[in-house]
Amino acid sequence: MYFRRAAQRRYEEPVLLCHGLAANRHTFDFEPPYSLSHALAEAGFDCFIVEWRGIGGSRPPPRGRRWPDVTVDDIVAQDGPALIDLALARTGARRAFWVGHSLGGLVGYAVAQGAYADKLAGLLALGAPVFFPPDRLIRQLIHAGNRASWPRGLRNEWLSRTLAPFLGYVTLPLSDVIINPKHIPPAIQRKVYANMMASMSRNVLRQFRDWIDHDAFRSFDGSVDWRAGLSGLTLPVLVMGGSQDRLAPPKNLRAQFELVGSPDKHLYIFGCERGDKMDYGHGDLLFGTGVAQEVHQEVRTWLASHATPWTAPTEAPTSA
């Protein structure tokens, strides 16, 4: 867990910033103006940035547990609630906002269907697909990743750090699956690939393969249908995505938005049609040249409109 304190606290609820698959805390805690944690801290929100188990600075698993055995279910049942408890205890707040990119948004959807739903003031899902498009290339890539992850996991950060110095000078094959290369400055591409990429456990990749093969969003054993559970959500929800995101296409985001049962829900698809500077892919929602004025602005506005103004506690008067 990483804590970025508000420059001057203005809101009671802290914001939980949750990264996606093959990523780490730098998803949201990067250098300004690409860092959402910096932007929200300046706006008056205390921010808690997570690294899921097995990622970055997280501690090794206890005896009897292995990192390759980790599933999304573990993150939903244990890591998400622990994140909420820590943020509320640290700030004294009653509820928190959840902001998740890709897998981080999916975990938020699942957590909001459980016992911790009342501890969330709102959920912002950024490029988080609950429907999986019949994209042959994406299916081939996830199957290749599953094969490469045997027997423990996929250490893709080794490859990304090797390739990072060349980005911006050459466009990597298949890069358009996750970003619009024209939307992210070359220097930022190099820093992202050198610092943000992280390993993926074998079981998490197996779970993603199940979702993509069967167009499902469910638990590892298939017993819990988290997609069906979206209709029962009551907390405020903001669904966001990119106009050219192949992992979370606009058509699927609109279907996702319709499925969410909350009476307070909004949908933003960032891109030229909305009046934005450029069309957005999957990673551009975090590191595109216009994120500060476009994505961050919408996130700040939505959070501020749903947050509780914070008043510093007054000290009890001392007796004479």
Side-chain angles (χ1 to χ4, degrees), residues 171-181 193:
T171 300
L172 296 181
L174 309 178
S175 60
D176 63 325
V177 173
I178 55 174
I179 63 170
N180 173 2
Y193 269 73

Side-chain angles (χ1 to χ4, degrees), residues 50-130:
V50 71
E51 284 187 322
W52 301 125
R53 62 178 66 192
I55 304 298
S58 61
R59 65 179 180 231
R63 180 173 297 181
R65 291 300 304 270
R66 302 185 317 139
W67 174 67
D69 298 332
V70 171
T71 67
V72 176
D73 302 38
D74 295 315
I75 300 174
V76 170
Q78 300 177 10
D79 299 12
L83 166 63
I84 295 171
D85 283 341
L86 186 147
L88 298 187
R90 185 74 176 268
T91 61
R94 296 165 297 171
R95 298 184 301 168
F97 289 108
W98 186 293
V99 179
H101 177 249
S102 197
L103 174 61
L106 296 181
V107 172
Y109 276 135
V111 170
Q113 296 174 34
Y116 274 67
D118 291 341
K119 296 185 179 184
L120 293 177
L123 170 63
L124 295 84
L126 190 63
V130 302

Side-chain angles (χ1 to χ4, degrees), residues 82-298:
L83 166 63
I84 295 171
D85 283 341
L86 186 147
L88 298 187
R90 185 74 176 268
T91 61
R94 296 165 297 171
R95 298 184 301 168
F97 289 108
W98 186 293
V99 179
H101 177 249
S102 197
L103 174 61
L106 296 181
V107 172
Y109 276 135
V111 170
Q113 296 174 34
Y116 274 67
D118 291 341
K119 296 185 179 184
L120 293 177
L123 170 63
L124 295 84
L126 190 63
V130 302
F131 294 95
F132 294 88
D135 190 308
R136 183 179 178 183
L137 176 58
I138 293 175
R139 180 170 295 180
Q140 289 174 338
L141 288 174
I142 196 67
H143 277 259
N146 271 263
R147 290 191 293 271
S149 69
W150 187 89
R152 295 181 57 82
L154 184 59
R155 299 286 183 180
N156 59 302
E157 71 269 28
W158 297 344
L159 177 62
S160 65
R161 290 171 184 169
T162 301
L163 296 175
F166 305 101
L167 295 180
Y169 304 108
V170 295
T171 300
L172 296 181
L174 309 178
S175 60
D176 63 325
V177 173
I178 55 174
I179 63 170
N180 173 2
K182 298 179 181 179
H183 199 188
I184 303 179
I188 298 303
Q189 288 188 45
R190 291 191 284 273
K191 289 182 180 179
V192 168
Y193 269 73
N195 295 286
M196 196 198 78
M197 307 304 288
S199 300
M200 297 173 279
S201 85
R202 177 160 172 74
N203 273 350
V204 168
L205 282 170
R206 289 175 62 196
Q207 199 161 0
F208 263 85
R209 183 183 62 190
D210 169 57
W211 295 351
I212 290 172
D213 283 350
H214 301 100
D215 185 21
F217 172 41
R218 58 193 180 189
S219 61
F220 191 76
D221 63 3
S223 64
V224 181
D225 188 339
W226 290 317
R227 185 163 70 191
L230 295 183
S231 61
L233 295 182
T234 58
L235 80 170
V237 174
L238 176 58
V239 178
M240 298 173 285
S243 56
Q244 292 186 350
D245 189 342
R246 291 182 62 176
L247 299 177
K251 177 182 177 181
N252 291 4
L253 288 178
R254 293 187 182 97
Q256 171 182 330
F257 173 75
E258 293 299 328
L259 194 58
V260 171
S262 171
D264 181 354
K265 61 180 182 180
H266 293 82
L267 171 66
Y268 293 143
I269 296 178
F270 296 95
C272 294
E273 186 175 339
R274 200 187 80 106
D276 296 322
K277 182 178 179 180
M278 296 185 73
D279 284 313
Y280 279 78
H282 196 65
D284 315 11
L285 296 165
L286 306 166
F287 304 109
T289 57
V291 292
Q293 298 78 27
E294 296 165 353
V295 179
H296 292 180
Q297 178 60 41
E298 296 290 4

